Amino acid sequence: IPDSVLRAGDILMYCQNLKALRIGCGLTEVRFKLTDYSVFDGPDAYNNLEEIVVSSENPYYYSDGNCLIEKSTKTVVLGCKNSIIPADTKEIGCEAFSCIKTDEIVIPFGIEVIQYAAFAGSTIRRCILPNSVKIIEDKVFSRCNCLELVELPSSVDYEDYSPYIFHQATVGMLIVPRDSGIYGDSGVSYHAYFGIYYGDIFAREADGTLTAPPYYDEMKEKASSILQSVLGDLNAANSFDEQKIIIRK
């Protein structure tokens, strides 16, 4: 995008073969959208962007870790499958990582807001939201059908909070804070609360242990298997000791 361009809208829509995006110094407003998760249709619709570079002379945006970031708000406006979200980022923008083809996006501690449909339609398998997150907007994981494990943070106020975070998504294992009110005393899975097609909801206790739904004896084995594959992620994101990553009925 040359220096002479001041504003850019959905000019990249359906450019699935685009590998690199280079932005000049003149751009003052962007609303990039490489594909539309709401009409997502198969593997040919994935965003295959690999590199994002912004001119060092641009006063409004910069690139770091293959992310396009708004300077004034520290918001990731656009990411790609090779993105590493910088530690000083405050927000993940609307549809910033929608339809990305990648297994995992690490969300650093310090992120406070995850905007509408941030990861919608992507192939991410694991996502642990750090306890710095205060706001999770609607459809963040909409149509994400590869999710194996997602953990929601204890830093969000879930009272009267009912966005369809997982609208039309499938989640193998969802971990929620025990005191969030999402996980009932009977272990009932509030799928409708999130718009999840199917999945199993576990409670994270104050001591770091997990409580499995009591209506599944086999959940203990299933959950332990999943946790073993992501144990490193759990420890890194939430500073849990390995001995605390246990399941109990």
Side-chain angles (χ1 to χ4, degrees):
I1 298 176
D3 293 342
S4 59
V5 175
L6 300 180
R7 296 180 180 85
D10 295 338
I11 58 174
L12 304 177
M13 179 69 81
Y14 302 121
C15 294
Q16 281 79 24
N17 293 322
L18 184 69
K19 300 294 185 182
L21 178 62
R22 293 179 171 83
I23 298 171
C25 65
L27 202 65
T28 63
E29 182 180 338
V30 299
R31 177 62 177 90
F32 289 133
K33 199 173 183 182
L34 274 67
T35 189
D36 189 348
Y37 82 92
S38 65
V39 294
F40 182 77
D41 187 21
D44 292 337
Y46 285 119
N47 167 2
N48 290 300
L49 191 64
E50 297 177 351
E51 183 183 21
I52 300 173
V53 179
V54 180
S55 168
S56 60
E57 298 179 3
N58 190 301
Y60 299 98
Y61 297 93
Y62 69 99
S63 56
D64 188 3
N66 283 310
C67 295
L68 173 61
I69 303 171
E70 185 178 46
K71 288 185 176 181
S72 61
T73 61
K74 293 287 187 178
T75 298
V76 175
V77 177
L78 181 68
C80 67
K81 63 183 182 181
N82 292 331
S83 291
I84 299 175
I85 300 174
D88 62 346
T89 305
K90 295 301 181 185
E91 299 190 24
I92 298 177
C94 174
E95 299 184 38
F97 290 92
S98 66
C99 298
I100 293 288
K101 193 173 183 180
T102 186
D103 286 345
E104 185 174 24
I105 297 172
V106 177
I107 302 176
F109 188 90
I111 292 288
E112 297 178 355
V113 179
I114 303 178
Q115 296 182 19
Y116 178 88
F119 304 105
S122 69
T123 64
I124 58 174
R125 297 170 54 223
R126 300 176 297 273
C127 189
I128 298 171
L129 305 186
N131 286 328
S132 58
V133 175
K134 299 176 182 177
I135 298 174
I136 307 172
E137 295 187 358
D138 280 2
K139 299 184 179 180
V140 164
F141 296 103
S142 180
R143 299 196 178 193
C144 291
N145 295 316
C146 299
L147 288 170
E148 295 176 356
L149 183 145
V150 176
E151 179 160 5
L152 298 182
S154 60
S155 50
V156 171
D157 183 1
Y158 293 98
E159 185 176 355
D160 298 324
Y161 190 83
S162 58
Y164 282 91
I165 299 171
F166 297 94
H167 172 256
Q168 296 183 349
T170 56
V171 186
M173 179 178 176
L174 173 63
I175 302 174
V176 301
R178 161 62 81 176
D179 60 359
S180 64
I182 301 169
Y183 187 95
D185 290 337
S186 62
V188 174
S189 296
Y190 286 80
H191 291 186
Y193 184 94
F194 293 110
I196 298 174
Y197 274 160
Y198 67 84
D200 299 301
I201 298 182
F202 295 73
R204 173 72 68 189
E205 306 292 350
D207 64 358
T209 60
L210 295 180
T211 298
Y215 48 83
Y216 272 112
D217 285 339
E218 62 268 28
M219 287 311 337
K220 183 173 183 179
E221 181 178 351
K222 175 182 177 181
S224 295
S225 175
I226 295 174
L227 283 171
Q228 285 302 316
S229 69
V230 296
L231 188 59
D233 299 333
L234 285 168
N235 286 337
N238 293 326
S239 300
F240 291 130
D241 295 329
E242 184 170 350
Q243 63 267 24
K244 287 189 176 182
I245 307 298
I246 62 174
I247 309 296
R248 66 187 184 194
K249 287 186 65 177

